[in-house]
Amino acid sequence: MVEHGDIRVVHRGGIARYCRFLCERGIFCCCRFLLCGSGYEVKVFSTSTEECIHDLRAHTDLVTGVLLRPSNHLQAYSCSTDGTVRLWDYTDGILIKTYVIGYPIYSIYTSANHSGVLFVVTPTSDKRSEFQLVAVHLPQSGDQLVEAREFSAVLSDVSSNPAATSFGRGGEYIASAKGLQLEVYFFKKQKPYRFFLKEDNKKGGKNTFTCLACHPKDDCIATGHEDGKIRLWRNFNHKKEYTYTTLHWHHSAVSSLCFTPEGTNLLSGGIESVLVQWRYNQESQRDFLPRLGAAITHIAVSPDGALFCTSHSDNKITIIRSSIQVSAVIQGLVKGDSVRTDLMVDPRSKALVLNGKPGHLQFYSLQRDKLLYNLDIVQQEYIHQSGLEQFEVVKAAFDAYGNWLATVEERKQKPTELELNLKLWAFDEQTQSFMLNTTISAPHEARITAMCFCHSTDSQTTVLVSVSKDGHFKAWQLAPATHTEDEGPSWSCDFVGAYHSLVPECCCFSADGSLLAVSFQEVVTVWSPASWELLTTLSQPPGAIRNLCFGQLTCSKYLLGTTDKNLLCCWNLLTCSLEWSTSMDVSLLLSDPFSENMAAFCCQAGCTDLFVFKPSEPRPLFSHKAVCLGKVTRAVFAPREKMLESCEETSQWLNHSQLYFVTQYMDLLTFTTKAEEDRLMASSKQLVISDSVAMTPFSVLLGKRSQQEGQEAASSLLAERTQLPQGSAAVRELLQTPAHVLPSTSFLCSMFVESLLISVTDNRKKGRTIYNYFIVAQQHFMSKIE
Amino acid sequence: MASFKPTKIPIYPKLGEKVTQDTVYWKNYKAPVQIKEFGAVTNIHFSPVAPHNYAVTAFTRIHIYGPFSQEPVKSFTRFKDTAYCGRYRSDGQLLVAGCEDSVVRLFDVSGKVALRMFKGHTKAVHVTDFTSERYHIFTGSDDYTCRLWDIPNATELNTYQEHTDYIRCGVTSKLNRDLFITGSYDHTLKLFDARVDKSVITMDHGQPVESVLLYPSEGLVVSAGGRYVKVWDLLKGGQPLVSLKNHHKTVTSLCLSSNGQRLLSASLDRHVKVYNTTNFRVVHNFDYAASVLSLALAPDDESIIVGMTNGVLSIKHRKSPEESKEVSHQQRRRPSYRVFVKGKNYMPKQDDYLVSKPVREYLTKYDKHLKKFNISKALDSALQAGNRQRKPEVTVAVIKELDRRGTLKNALAGRDEKALSELLHFITKNMVDFRFAPVLVPAANMILDIYRSVIGQSPVVDRQLLYLQDLLQKEINYQQELLDVLGMLDTLFASSVPRKELLCSSSSRTNGLAQGETASTARPELQAT
């Protein structure tokens, strides 16, 4: 995170924000909580409501592993590459202890038989790419921060993959797999056994180990391999007489294996996104849970075996009942390899729209930081198989009111063959979602490079313009319904335009929809959508146009363009001449539809700088050096729910809208102001306090609600609590009257409970106050009865 | 979790005519009944009274047919030469007909011998009709005259000698006893009034007039001659309203539908066209085997009767409503008792909570196989006879899906002679269809690759492969010709369009060219293999 004055860059987007390192590892406790490492923090989810209960924040680098403490099931260890292991009370979200190891930790293992010892995987001190398994003896000390310096190496040269090492039955041995070698270390004998496989077998399968699991009750190790085979190893306490049986169902690498706690079943998963349940000792009997959505990266089982959970490569955790039925899905911002569609904001739901699951568009609510839904664009069964070319959504556009959505999907199987589909979706009021209206197959002969709707608000008909590498741009219009009733109105081509057989690159409608600018390499052509006449051409050679943008509101007479020869040009459309130009390497230029501001991202020396400016003013409003590492690929201005009233000059541009952008590493980032951040921090602190006060059955009942109440209730809570001694008449009477003059308890009780009931007209705040009185009153009452 | 998504069958735009209300209406006729007459059928006229028999004038006879009879119920054969224009009187009792021997005969419908003979014309009489007050007859003849006759005493009332060529058509007004219109080969239409001795209005059609029709309101008159059908406004003194040129041979007969909303014209080019009378666009078209000479519609459009030059009378009856409904009923399966009838009469009580049953999705056979990754079986079931013939798009969609999964080669391989010949049969039948070519051409390529080693072992497959080669050669030649034509058109466009609008024309031209190119590039690729 980068600090800059009072404006900060912050990450957004669900569970695993740093998807490129992908370090999710879900574990269970009591079937009620699910812990998973996510970026710099550990998240605690409820398995029944899918809500995030706590963010355990203390690590300063990526969390690589989370593990329950074997001796106390209400505590958990987490390890991180910042070189610390932290012990948490995850039900309350409290950090208990921090053990400083000093080396980056890539995974962590414990066993009930080895109390006071943690096994961690760290890089060997000389080479960063080699890893070793080290036993860390935890010093007994009451301090919060403990330095652990007592190490003993167990295995050298292990894999850094957390799934490739596991404790065996009762912690007697630890097994680890790397490459083509399986290594088992027996703690009693104090010596390792090594088993090797040939690189390739006769049929061309790859024998490389990918993951490993040990049977909890039996001497059996299950290993997963690159070619989709699972081997069950037995008799491995002998050097020579070891045996293994092979199970084969997966067609590509097994990425995770897990035994159920009683050892009756083995779970496996891989890129096929099918969870396979094998019966132990009856391996021909299998159960499948297909179509989980994306490749399975980890499988975990709750200690009582009632729930399984799988984490997926698309930033999702699925919670599965032991009867192989999905019970809940925890989904963050779906992350693919890249955002092929632009970032967009749905004008209706104000949700961020971008590529989601393969062949889908995801609608992500920015206000609630939660995935709303995925819209199936391709409507084809996705085949989970590597190396298969499938349809991908490459372009999407909304019209001004969000009534129409246009999407382009493409599939390029061979260099000569390109399958393109242009789909138009109409918003259906009844189902509140988009319905397919028109499918145009092969709208262009080559790839579509840009697509936009006419954003004018007053025109009767909407026009969609698509620009393609085949040298044409096409305008599509909604044609009236045909004579028969069964077909509604559909879209058809209205105009095909070209300019001197040059290849067009981008297109842009002016704010009022009266002008269309299409760039043909070095030339910007301006067309009138009403008559499809070429009005004028603008150009600023050398360099092809890369971005094109009309000014908004009072600056709508300006047209801005960037060229790939590091030039930012601003043309005045009234005089048809160049107003100003400046030399900068702009990788992305976009305009804020709610103000005159424009944002330009410049890529320089691996870092990206941001400039916010008005086309009519010479000085930028705001500039930010080194916003993030790497190139910014997509960005969008999203409207704010409530306007900010910041009057500082540098943060004024954030008043109407918020700038979201995606870097080339697929991080979704945004800017927040100091004031916003303070407000958020305050609310979260108060929530923590209110939760840690009392754990009575009533607070369990009402506590959940208090969380949802959000910051307002929480901030008012503190003020209310100080005034506790006063209260309703009934309670006061009860507390102040001596015990011996009080009537019978049964009589008092009904009156007392009645006084606590929240009347319908009362708002929630009041209810909360009364509830607090009740806790105090209850304690008084109990003491009096005693 | 998410359920299996079935294979998407693309809906291709329907080629040819669009389905409109008119096509639905005019297609709702049974297969025609064909009756052979002795010569060309020159006139058909319906009796104005029920049961609406009709008189068919063909060669030297007039046959009267009942509405559903295949045989004539009565025939008048006492003509010395070719008879013309047998028409009923408005009460359906009398029938008048002209003849090549210039004598006009009047028959009683129940009798056999002519009641009256009107002699006076010197040449063949082609037009006869009753006036609306029923006691006069109007005739037109090849001697350029038209005459009015009195029926009771068989005398000539008046003679009009204004036309300068044969009079071949005419019609009397149904509303006014004195008005009648004639059309002649001198290219004119004339409106005569019996109260004065000359024509009132003259309209120039421009071609020899073959047929005249008055609207029921009698404000408009329609004339047919040459390739043109023209509509005239009588209330504006014979001003031309519309000129229609939709036939490519002489229009011979005109007719109005029962509600007056549609105009039908029959022509020697073997077509009958239906026009909308509000905008005069062609809304439907009937094809016949021979040149059509006469046309009539039964009241309420119950049947369309057409007489042709080869003497065939074609009668199409409208389908009864039960019949057209029955077709759809047969397709629908009966609901099973368990699902639909059981518990239907249960009345829900007040506090009952309705538990909705999850709707079970049914997958087609090929989808079930695709779900289980049984790719060869999926292709087999998609190639089953019903799909292959009636819905080729289903089979093509499955082939495309297999191609997308990268398993098409496996699905195509390992077939015996029968299965392979079935597959090849499907491919040869559908490959030249431009909608399916992008999918089927690579599939055919794959088949050739896979079975290259076994070519020559089966005569059936070899024959089909040869046929495939032949077909491709033909298609390539065809595409070449099309490109030639396109090139010629381009030259024409380029020279005819003024310089200023070059941009617009270039866009439309490239569009057309592009389609041709995509179609043609797909083919030579296969030829190379």
Side-chain angles (χ1 to χ4, degrees), chain B residues 9 364-367 377-396 398 426 429-430 436:
Chain B
I9 311 292
T364 48
K365 223 169 181 181
Y366 53 84
D367 272 334
K377 280 185 188 163
L379 185 58
D380 284 340
S381 56
L383 273 173
Q384 268 170 0
N387 278 338
R388 206 174 57 203
Q389 279 146 19
R390 259 180 285 129
K391 288 183 257 168
E393 65 265 23
V394 172
T395 317
V396 171
V398 171
F426 175 77
K429 206 173 161 193
N430 291 291
F436 305 141

Side-chain angles (χ1 to χ4, degrees), chain A residues 290-292 326 360 376 379-381 383 388-390 411 413 419 445 472 483-485 496 498 527, chain B residues 1-5 8 18-21 371 373 400-401 403-406 503 507 510-511 514 518:
Chain A
R291 285 182 282 283
L292 285 172
V326 174
H360 288 64
D376 188 359
Q379 299 184 328
Q380 256 178 357
E381 180 75 2
I383 309 296
L388 203 62
E389 278 298 325
Q390 315 229 26
R411 172 171 168 261
Q413 196 177 22
E419 280 179 69
E445 276 119 66
H472 302 292
H483 350 268
T484 41
E485 296 95 27
V496 184
W527 306 72
Chain B
M1 240 12 246
S3 55
F4 179 82
K5 288 173 202 158
K8 197 107 185 144
K18 288 225 167 66
V19 179
T20 59
Q21 292 288 340
K371 189 180 172 185
F373 289 81
K400 197 174 176 184
E401 170 71 15
D403 187 34
R404 183 180 74 89
R405 293 176 172 219
L503 203 77
S507 64
T510 41
N511 198 13
T518 44

Side-chain angles (χ1 to χ4, degrees), chain B residues 31-44:
Chain B
V33 177
Q34 309 251 0
I35 298 168
K36 181 78 180 158
E37 294 287 341
F38 291 102
V41 181
T42 53
N43 193 44
I44 302 161

Side-chain angles (χ1 to χ4, degrees), chain A residues 89-233:
Chain A
D89 178 351
Y90 58 83
T91 47
D92 295 335
I94 301 167
L95 175 64
I96 298 171
K97 256 180 195 169
T98 305
Y99 301 101
V100 178
I101 309 291
Y103 300 103
I105 305 164
Y106 286 89
S107 51
I108 183 170
Y109 310 95
T110 59
S111 163
N113 277 18
H114 302 265
S115 58
V117 182
L118 281 179
F119 295 83
V120 296
V121 171
T122 60
T124 48
S125 47
D126 46 342
K127 283 184 228 159
R128 299 289 288 181
S129 56
E130 273 187 24
F131 298 92
Q132 59 182 1
L133 184 70
V134 175
V136 181
H137 300 273
L138 301 176
Q140 298 293 323
S141 141
D143 294 342
Q144 267 258 313
L145 189 74
V146 188
E147 206 153 325
R149 286 285 176 233
E150 206 179 323
F151 303 140
S152 56
V154 180
L155 291 173
S156 59
D157 193 21
V158 296
S159 162
S160 67
N161 179 7
T165 308
S166 176
F167 265 104
R169 176 168 66 110
E172 282 176 15
Y173 55 90
I174 190 163
S176 177
K178 191 192 181 191
L180 293 164
Q181 170 196 302
L182 173 69
E183 199 169 4
V184 185
Y185 182 84
F186 290 93
F187 289 102
K188 269 188 191 153
K189 295 181 191 167
Q190 296 277 328
K191 76 180 201 192
Y193 284 80
R194 291 198 178 85
F195 307 100
F196 295 95
L197 286 174
K198 283 185 207 128
E199 192 171 350
D200 294 308
N201 59 14
K202 281 172 201 156
K203 286 173 188 164
K206 285 181 192 154
N207 283 335
T208 318
F209 287 96
T210 52
C211 56
L212 174 155
C214 294
H215 195 276
K217 299 276 154 78
D218 202 356
D219 276 335
C220 174
I221 301 174
T223 58
H225 297 264
E226 194 88 337
D227 56 355
K229 287 200 178 98
I230 296 168
R231 287 190 170 87
L232 294 174
W233 300 72

